[in-house]
Amino acid sequence: MGLISENYNKKLLSKIATNDGHGENLAYFDGWKAYENDPFHPTQNPHGVIQMGLAENQLCFDLIQEWIVNNPKASICTYEGVQDFQDIAIFQDYHGLPEFRKAVARFMEKVRGDRVTFDPERIVMSGGATGAHESLAFCLADPGDAFLVPTPYYPGFDRDLRWRTGVQLFPVVCESFNNFKVTKEALEEAYKKAQESNIKVKGLLINNPSNPLGTILDKETLKDILRFINDKNIHLVCDEIYAATAFSQPSFISISEVMNDVVGCNDDLVHIVYSLSKDLGFPGFRVGIIYSYNDVVVNIARKMSSFGLVSTQTQRLIASMLSDTIFVENFIAKSSMRLLQRHDLFTKGLGQVGITTLKSNAGLFIWMDLRRFLENSTFDDELKLWHIIINKVKLNVSPGCSFHCSEPGWFRVCFANMDDATMKVALKRIRHFVYLQPSKGVEVATKKQYCRTRSKLEISLSFRRLDDFMNSPHSPMSSPMVQARN
């Protein structure tokens, strides 16, 4: 489309439709485009871009596929389930199938260790977490109002909460010196700055476990957050879509577990966003959930859900699957184990070449520290380094500036959306990059030195232990079903 034609169409179309609120021009999404234009394939395109910018959980599809094979009646598209086709096809109540809401509520309880209960009548479905966030933004704020958001935060929040609602996101600046911890001081400072800018703060948005940090909020921090929002009389939106991805201690703690511990807590201010995209690995099913403790918000959000319902066919399948207690317990346990194994293998591979990461125990990614490779500590230099990684190293990792990080040089790297062999290729590329890339303040081998010592490096930095694990029956990717899919 030419510039003249584009400008002409902008005059014909709405401002919402033609503005840049979607954010697809961010480096975060540019990395996806680089992958789509040159996708890695082990045989057909071995020098292509490896996708490490997409937070997908592909480590347990063998468990899902096995359950589907053993439970054909769960789908209306099978001989065993087709007798229910008509009832499911014509069901259009935006409350959702009762068995679906009940099963999702029970699953949310299991993910939280059965330490809390959820009322199925408060389950409001939406088209993924994206739709859930936008619906809550419409319910809780007017155009021009703001939500405080601790940095770094998921780039999609800018699209989800801002694009069509006119709501603003105001940063709560968190820093690396204390591992990006959300503190009372940072919350108060952000609130004060928003007020000084004549911005009305309607709520606080937290992501727990954190995307991109892979960390969880401890109980005392959650209590501080509840006291803060109650003191300011603003809403709290808790994005808990990575709840089941916690793979080591300390355990994930939901905001729902600490509400009773805070004296005078106004439950009407607390709202949870959940989905099955990360914990089960079903982003394509578009199952998003709003769970609000506010009766009015539940009723309004349910009406708004008419614009983004989950198909009844999907509801039926999910209801059947999540009602299988044995399957759910086995899935949660094995998913955590496999995420831990993959996380440890990947971080150890990075550590072998001197790359450190923020200590984490949840999520589908790590927060990688490449500050020593920046010529200058600026976001321009961060993007220069990112272009090298994308175009030369051929890895799509996401730069910290896309996540509104306050410090240049941090990158999010996803590790659960590929098989073991692809991860090994990615680690080898990173290893080669490190020994060819100048490092500020760190002695690094020159290209000539590297070439002379390459064979020695490949021995000293061998991946024999990695290979042993990949070929073992304990590897997440050793399942014949997963191997066939890949």
Side-chain angles (χ1 to χ4, degrees):
M1 181 186 294
L3 181 61
I4 296 177
S5 178
E6 184 175 347
N7 290 334
Y8 175 70
N9 274 318
K10 282 189 176 183
K11 294 180 180 178
L12 291 177
L13 304 178
S14 72
K15 293 179 180 179
I16 290 179
T18 56
N19 69 23
D20 294 326
H22 183 276
E24 68 175 356
N25 295 323
L26 289 173
Y28 176 74
F29 293 108
D30 283 344
W32 288 14
K33 296 170 189 174
Y35 166 76
E36 290 169 359
N37 292 332
D38 185 24
F40 169 83
H41 188 277
T43 57
Q44 299 176 13
N45 191 22
H47 302 294
V49 175
I50 295 177
Q51 174 63 288
M52 305 188 82
L54 187 59
E56 287 183 347
N57 188 355
Q58 298 185 17
L59 301 184
C60 288
F61 275 122
D62 58 322
L63 305 180
I64 301 291
Q65 291 168 342
E66 181 182 9
W67 186 91
I68 291 173
V69 169
N70 293 332
N71 295 270
K73 195 175 180 180
S75 171
I76 59 174
C77 297
T78 63
Y79 176 81
E80 292 82 357
V82 72
Q83 68 270 17
D84 295 328
F85 182 89
Q86 181 175 338
D87 290 342
I88 295 300
I90 64 175
F91 184 90
Q92 52 184 324
D93 185 347
Y94 54 72
H95 289 73
L97 293 170
E99 58 267 34
F100 167 76
R101 288 184 282 119
K102 182 179 179 180
V104 169
R106 295 293 86 83
F107 182 69
M108 291 173 66
E109 294 170 1
K110 284 292 180 184
V111 166
R112 290 152 182 81
D114 288 318
R115 297 182 298 272
V116 65
T117 59
F118 292 101
D119 181 359
E121 295 304 313
R122 292 191 176 277
I123 296 288
V124 179
M125 61 181 171
S126 181
T130 291
H133 276 297
E134 185 181 61
S135 292
L136 274 178
F138 274 123
C139 288
L140 305 180
D142 292 312
D145 293 344
F147 284 91
L148 303 179
V149 191
T151 64
Y153 64 81
Y154 168 54
F157 283 159
D158 292 313
R159 169 201 63 205
D160 300 351
L161 284 96
R162 295 177 55 213
W163 183 23
R164 301 193 299 186
T165 66
V167 170
Q168 302 182 63
L169 297 184
F170 199 90
V172 178
V173 178
C174 303
E175 300 173 296
S176 64
F177 78 91
N178 65 352
N179 296 325
F180 299 98
K181 184 177 176 62
V182 181
T183 65
K184 292 182 290 185
E185 294 76 15
L187 291 170
E188 292 288 354
E189 180 67 19
Y191 187 84
K192 179 182 177 182
K193 286 183 177 179
Q195 285 191 313
E196 291 172 349
S197 300
N198 293 319
I199 296 174
K200 185 177 182 179
V201 176
K202 291 299 294 288
L204 168 65
L205 168 64
I206 62 171
N207 189 202
N208 182 36
S210 168
N211 175 10
L213 301 178
T215 56
I216 63 172
L217 296 177
D218 60 73
K219 195 170 186 177
E220 290 307 312
T221 299
L222 290 171
K223 288 180 181 179
D224 287 341
I225 287 171
L226 281 172
R227 294 187 187 102
F228 172 79
I229 64 106
N230 275 273
D231 178 60
K232 308 302 182 188
N233 195 33
I234 60 176
H235 293 279
L236 175 61
V237 177
C238 305
D239 182 316
E240 298 186 350
I241 69 172
Y242 290 95
T245 67
F247 47 77
S248 63
Q249 295 297 319
S251 301
F252 165 73
I253 302 174
S254 171
I255 195 67
S256 56
E257 298 177 53
V258 300
M259 291 168 63
N260 290 334
D261 296 338
V262 176
V263 177
C265 178
N266 183 356
D267 293 357
D268 283 346
L269 297 176
V270 181
H271 323 275
I272 296 173
V273 169
Y274 189 57
S275 84
L276 303 182
S277 297
K278 310 304 180 181
D279 285 353
L280 278 177
F282 292 170
F285 278 17
R286 310 309 301 150
V287 179
I289 299 297
I290 294 172
Y291 190 91
S292 175
Y293 290 91
N294 186 313
D295 293 341
V296 177
V297 171
V298 170
N299 292 331
I300 296 173
R302 186 160 282 144
K303 294 173 185 176
M304 286 189 174
S305 70
S306 298
F307 297 100
L309 296 174
V310 179
S311 76
T312 49
Q313 179 180 353
T314 299
Q315 289 183 55
R316 186 180 188 274
L317 176 65
I318 293 298
S320 181
M321 181 181 294
L322 297 187
S323 296
D324 186 337
T325 304
I326 295 176
F327 165 78
V328 167
E329 292 178 350
N330 180 59
F331 180 91
I332 292 174
K334 288 191 174 179
S335 177
S336 295
M337 178 189 69
R338 293 178 181 185
L339 285 170
L340 173 62
Q341 291 171 339
R342 175 59 67 84
H343 171 273
D344 286 355
L345 281 170
F346 193 73
T347 53
K348 286 177 183 176
L350 294 177
Q352 286 179 325
V353 291
I355 293 179
T356 60
T357 63
L358 184 71
K359 185 177 180 181
S360 59
N361 70 321
L364 311 173
F365 31 72
I366 53 96
W367 192 234
M368 182 170 66
D369 184 1
L370 297 184
R371 287 176 292 178
R372 67 186 176 97
F373 294 105
L374 301 183
E375 185 175 345
N376 301 291
S377 185
T378 65
F379 288 109
D380 284 341
D381 275 27
E382 177 182 276
L383 286 175
K384 289 178 183 177
L385 179 61
W386 175 74
H387 281 293
I388 292 173
I389 296 173
I390 283 282
N391 298 319
K392 303 296 183 183
V393 188
K394 295 297 186 77
L395 299 177
N396 175 31
V397 301
S398 305
C401 60
S402 293
F403 297 84
H404 302 273
C405 186
S406 59
E407 304 170 20
W410 293 89
F411 292 78
R412 191 194 73 171
V413 186
C414 300
F415 59 74
N417 64 329
M418 66 193 75
D419 59 24
D420 289 333
T422 303
M423 183 191 69
K424 179 180 177 181
V425 174
L427 283 171
K428 284 185 176 180
R429 291 184 182 183
I430 292 172
R431 183 186 66 189
H432 294 168
F433 157 76
V434 168
Y435 285 96
L436 292 174
Q437 183 70 17
S439 175
K440 185 178 74 172
V442 179
E443 184 178 348
V444 178
T446 64
K447 185 173 182 180
K448 186 175 181 180
Q449 290 171 325
Y450 171 75
C451 293
R452 283 204 309 265
T453 60
R454 179 172 178 176
S455 61
K456 184 183 294 185
L457 285 168
E458 290 187 347
I459 294 174
S460 63
L461 299 175
S462 71
F463 286 82
R464 271 180 279 180
R465 283 180 295 172
L466 187 63
D467 290 332
D468 289 343
F469 175 79
M470 289 174 180
N471 295 324
S472 78
H474 303 294
S475 170
M477 290 299 165
S478 63
S479 163
M481 299 185 78
V482 175
Q483 291 174 347
R485 182 179 61 82
N486 290 327

